[in-house]
C-alpha cells in the first residue's frame, strides 16, 4: 500500500494552519506563474517579509529550476515568470493518522496529534513533478532541504506547529513553524529553517536546512523558522 493511501488524501478545501487560518477554496488562478493554477502556493519566511506590503519579496524556490531528486531548495525574489517558485500543497491528514498507519513515531502524537501534515510538491507551470520539499534522511542540524520523491516516506511531510502560530503583517495566514515529520525528538523538533546569516541575494544561494526549533525567552520562534503562504499571481 502506498504512503498516500495509508493516510487521508487531500481535500478540495484546505486550511493551511488548521483553525488558526482562513480557508482556501477553488477559484481564479493563484500561483507564482499564471499557468500554475489555483492549487499553487508560494511559501515565504517571516525573516524576509515586509509587513507594509501584501506580497512577499522572496519565496521558496527550486535552485535553477532543477526537477530532480536532491535539487536544493532556496529562496529567490518573487516573480510571476519563474516556474521554480511553483508548488502545490496537499493535505496528507493529521499526525494521528500517520501514527496509526505506522509511518511516523508515536512520540509525535504526544505533542502534535491533531496538527495537520502536508506535502509541498514542485509543480513548475502547474505540472506536477512527483518531487516534494523534504530531506534525504532523518533531519539533523543543518541537513540540506532538497527535492525528494513525494508520497514515499515521512521525509517529505511537514507539520504545521499551530501551538506556535503567530499573526503578523497584512498576510492572510499566520506565520507557523513547519516540523519535519521524519524526526524523532519532538520535544525539541527539527523545523524548516532559513540559514540565520544568509540572504536570498547571496551567491551561492543559501540552501534551506533543518534545525531544532529556536525560541526567545518569551517563547517567540525565531523569524527564520516561521513560514507563511501567499495565494495569488506574484507581481
Amino acid at each position: 500500500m502506498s504512503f498516500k493511501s495509508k493516510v487521508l488524501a487531500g481535500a478540495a478545501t484546505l486550511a493551511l494552519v488548521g483553525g488558526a487560518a482562513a480557508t482556501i477554496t477553488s477559484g481564479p488562478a493563484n500561483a507564482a506563474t499564471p499557468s500554475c493554477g489555483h492549487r499553487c502556493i508560494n511559501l515565504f519566511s517571516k525573516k524576509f517579509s515586509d509587513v507594509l506590503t501584501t506580497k512577499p519579496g522572496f519565496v521558496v524556490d527550486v535552485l535553477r529550476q532543477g526537477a530532480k531528486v536532491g535539487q536544493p531548495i532556496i529562496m529567490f525574489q518573487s516573480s510571476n515568470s519563474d516556474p521554480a517558485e511553483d508548488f502545490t500543497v496537499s493535505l496528507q491528514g493529521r499526525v494521528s493518522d500517520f501514527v496509526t498507519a505506522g509511518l511516523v513515531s508515536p512520540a509525535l502524537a504526544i505533542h502534535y496529534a491533531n496538527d495537520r501534515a502536508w506535502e509541498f510538491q514542485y509543480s513548475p507551470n502547474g505540472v506536477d513533478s512527483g518531487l516534494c520539499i523534504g530531506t534525504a534522511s532523518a533531519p539533523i542540524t543543518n541537513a540540506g532541504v532538497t527535492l525528494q520523491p513525494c508520497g514515499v516516506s515521512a521525509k517529505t511531510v511537514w507539520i504545521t506547529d499551530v501551538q506556535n502560530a503567530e499573526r503578523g503583517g497584512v498576510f492572510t495566514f499566520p506565520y507557523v513553524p513547519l516540523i519535519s515529520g521524519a524526526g524523532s525528538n519532538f520535544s525539541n523538533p527539527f523545523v524548516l529553517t532559513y540559514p540565520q546569516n544568509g540572504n536570498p541575494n547571496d551567491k551561492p544561494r543559501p540552501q534551506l536546512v533543518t534545525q531544532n526549533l529556536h525560541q526567545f525567552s518569551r517563547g517567540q520562534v525565531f523569524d527564520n523558522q516561521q513560514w507563511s503562504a501567499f495565494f495569488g499571481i506574484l507581481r
Side-chain angles (χ1 to χ4, degrees), residues 5-228:
S5 67
K6 291 183 179 180
V7 294
L8 298 180
T13 302
L14 304 178
L16 182 61
V17 196
T23 301
I24 306 162
T25 57
S26 58
N30 301 311
T33 60
S35 60
C36 195
H38 69 271
R39 296 182 304 144
C40 276
I41 183 174
N42 309 296
L43 293 170
F44 60 93
S45 167
K46 184 179 180 182
K47 181 177 175 69
F48 303 106
S49 298
D50 184 348
V51 298
L52 300 179
T53 65
T54 57
K55 70 184 180 96
F58 299 94
V59 296
V60 170
D61 179 287
V62 177
L63 181 66
R64 300 190 185 96
Q65 303 181 20
K68 63 181 181 180
V69 173
Q71 192 72 2
I73 302 299
I74 62 170
M75 291 187 70
F76 200 72
Q77 186 167 353
S78 61
S79 167
N80 64 4
S81 61
D82 185 357
E85 297 174 353
D86 289 343
F87 290 87
T88 50
V89 59
S90 59
L91 173 64
Q92 298 302 320
R94 297 182 185 273
V95 168
S96 56
D97 299 315
F98 281 76
V99 173
T100 299
L103 292 168
V104 298
S105 168
L108 185 59
I110 296 174
H111 302 281
Y112 308 106
N114 292 318
D115 288 352
R116 288 175 168 84
W118 310 83
E119 283 187 315
F120 302 102
Q121 181 172 188
Y122 181 40
S123 303
N125 293 311
V127 180
D128 291 343
S129 68
L131 300 172
C132 287
I133 297 174
T135 55
S137 60
I140 58 174
T141 300
N142 292 327
V145 174
T146 59
L147 288 179
Q148 297 295 325
C150 301
V152 175
S153 75
K155 296 182 183 70
T156 56
V157 173
W158 300 93
I159 296 146
T160 43
D161 181 9
V162 296
Q163 292 87 343
N164 286 306
E166 177 185 325
R167 286 284 176 187
V170 296
F171 298 106
T172 303
F173 297 99
Y175 296 105
V176 62
L178 294 172
I179 300 169
S180 171
S184 58
N185 179 7
F186 297 110
S187 61
N188 189 20
F190 282 97
V191 298
L192 186 66
T193 304
Y194 194 84
Q196 183 65 39
N197 298 319
N199 185 286
N201 290 319
D202 292 344
K203 292 183 179 180
R205 307 295 183 192
Q207 181 179 2
L208 273 63
V209 297
T210 56
Q211 290 184 357
N212 293 111
L213 185 71
H214 295 299
Q215 295 173 284
F216 294 104
S217 57
R218 293 185 178 181
Q220 183 181 11
V221 176
F222 283 18
D223 286 357
N224 65 325
Q225 295 185 328
Q226 294 198 53
W227 302 88
S228 188

